[in-house]
Every structure is written in structure tokens, then in C-alpha cells.
Amino acid sequence: NAGVTQTPKFQVLKTGQSMTLQCAQDMNHNSMYWYRQDPGMGLRLIYYSASEGTTDKGEVPNGYNVSRLNKREFSLRLESAAPSQTSVYFCASSEGAALSNQPQHFGDGTRLSIL
Amino acid sequence: GENVEQHPSTLSVQEGDSAVIKCTYSDSASNYFPWYKQELGKRPQLIIDIRSNVGEKKDQRIAVTLNKTAKHFSLHITETQPEDSAVYFCARRDDKIIFGKGTRLHILP
């Protein structure tokens, strides 16, 4: 039981390049989330998904797209990376309805640098 | 507004002493208040949470108190140990989840 698995762990991109961050959970959770973490800013929600095929914007969605491919997988895509998107990205999942009173389980994070 | 104000941003305590971190919020619709611990380079992990119908919850050396009238909730760590050194985040939930900016806790030997 691996919990929440994110790939890659590290990535360096040039401005304008695109890439997809992958996330998978094996806990049969309904809800999944993508956050970014910047120094002194805490965790900010980018997008979340309440179930397969549904996604909703969080606090900072601009510049990102997501896909809930199936119940296990939730990917985050940067179509044209910008230096302001340099951050640590965390995927999380939780039981029950999205944003409900259930604890979130986080992956190990992806450290993304945009040059 | 929507933010959660977390204080202090940095806290140093002597090993064995207690540590208290406080968060305040303004949205009275908030009904779930989790606390996460994040060690350097690691993922955030839930350490304790409290729901709005409860005033206090305790789990061994960790406790959380909630004052809904005053709109603040606090994390209390007693008998601190070196492994308590980490960044701690509070959060609140109504129709969204908002995290505080974190408190870096240093346990001094």
C-alpha cells in the first residue's frame, strides 16, 4: 500500500516548455487535489477532483490544467511553463466528498524549477 | 477575509517545554480544522484535527483547542522532543480548504 505516489520527484524546465505531473493513489479515495507550496506561502490549492471525470478550480488555477483519468490517477499539466510556476507541487487524496471533513493524504511532492 | 492567520512564524522552545501555535480565521462557516506537520523535504502529514462541534481534542502530547466564538484554534505540544522540530500548518475548511503560512518549530537541546 503505497498511498499517494507522484512522479517525477524533480524536474527542470525552460520557459515555454510543457510537462505533466503524474499522481496516483491506491487507497480507493474519491477526491484528489493538487497544491503548490512556495516559501512563506503555505499550501495553495490549484485544482481538485471530487470523482472520476470531474474537476474544479481551486485558489490558484491559472496556467494549469488537470485530468482525472480514472479513480486512481489525477494529472497536472503546465502547457507553457513560466518562472512563476517554480514551486513544490503536492498531490493529495481523501475519502468521501471533495473538501469534506476528512483528512488529506499527501504524496512526496514534485520539485519543479522553471528557468 | 478568507485567509487563516498563523502565529508565530518561527518558534524556538527548550526540549521538554511546551509549544503553542495559534491560528485565527474570519469565516464563521468554517467547520473543520486540521493540523499538519511537515519535516524538511518531506510531505505534510496530518497530526490532529478538530470539528466545529468539539472544543478540545487530545492525542498523547498533542492537543488542539477551538474557540468558535473568538474564531481561533491552537495547537499545543507538551514535553517537546527533538523529533517535534518541523513546520506546522493549520487549515480551515468551509467550502474550500485554506492553509496558514506555517510555523517553523525549533526544539533546542
Side-chain angles (χ1 to χ4, degrees):
Chain A
N1 187 336
V4 179
T5 303
Q6 291 182 235
T7 57
K9 294 188 185 305
F10 303 93
Q11 185 70 49
V12 179
L13 295 176
K14 294 181 179 178
T15 298
Q17 286 186 314
S18 62
M19 82 160 294
T20 300
L21 307 186
Q22 306 287 351
C23 176
Q25 53 91 11
D26 61 3
M27 295 175 283
N28 202 36
H29 285 169
N30 289 322
S31 304
M32 297 186 74
Y33 313 83
W34 275 105
Y35 291 90
R36 61 178 290 173
Q37 184 176 37
D38 302 296
M41 295 295 291
L43 290 152
R44 292 183 293 170
L45 183 64
I46 305 171
Y47 271 94
Y48 65 97
S49 169
S51 62
E52 180 180 350
T54 68
T55 61
D56 286 284
K57 294 179 180 179
E59 186 183 355
V60 288
N62 291 344
Y64 305 96
N65 287 300
V66 290
S67 295
R68 184 72 181 272
L69 305 171
N70 48 57
K71 193 171 186 179
R72 290 188 64 248
E73 299 173 291
F74 187 38
S75 61
L76 178 72
R77 183 162 177 83
L78 286 71
E79 289 291 352
S80 179
S84 61
Q85 294 178 303
T86 293
S87 188
V88 179
Y89 291 86
F90 284 99
C91 177
S93 69
S94 66
E95 291 186 83
L99 305 178
S100 65
N101 295 349
Q102 295 291 332
Q104 297 189 3
H105 300 262
F106 286 84
D108 285 332
T110 295
R111 283 153 181 78
L112 183 61
S113 294
I114 315 297
L115 305 178
Chain B
E2 297 185 335
N3 291 339
V4 177
E5 299 294 329
Q6 183 171 346
H7 298 282
S9 57
T10 305
L11 178 62
S12 296
V13 300
Q14 211 68 39
E15 182 178 349
D17 288 350
S18 296
V20 180
I21 303 169
K22 184 176 178 179
C23 288
T24 60
Y25 62 98
S26 57
D27 189 341
S28 57
S30 298
N31 55 20
Y32 175 61
F33 306 89
W35 284 90
Y36 288 84
K37 175 183 179 182
Q38 187 177 28
E39 297 177 4
L40 187 62
K42 301 286 184 64
R43 68 180 73 180
Q45 291 191 297
L46 181 78
I47 54 172
I48 197 165
D49 56 9
I50 192 167
R51 291 166 174 76
S52 59
N53 58 345
V54 176
E56 183 175 359
K57 183 176 178 181
K58 191 172 182 180
D59 182 4
Q60 300 183 349
R61 296 186 299 108
I62 294 173
V64 56
T65 58
L66 171 64
N67 184 327
K68 285 216 74 178
T69 302
K71 296 191 181 68
H72 66 72
F73 56 111
S74 299
L75 177 71
H76 305 254
I77 306 174
T78 58
E79 300 172 25
T80 52
Q81 301 171 4
E83 55 265 35
D84 295 330
S85 292
V87 178
Y88 292 81
F89 293 97
C90 65
R92 65 152 184 90
R93 182 237 166 227
D94 41 53
D95 62 341
K96 60 180 75 71
I97 293 176
I98 303 293
F99 283 80
K101 294 184 178 180
T103 296
R104 186 172 299 278
L105 176 63
H106 300 275
I107 306 301
L108 306 172

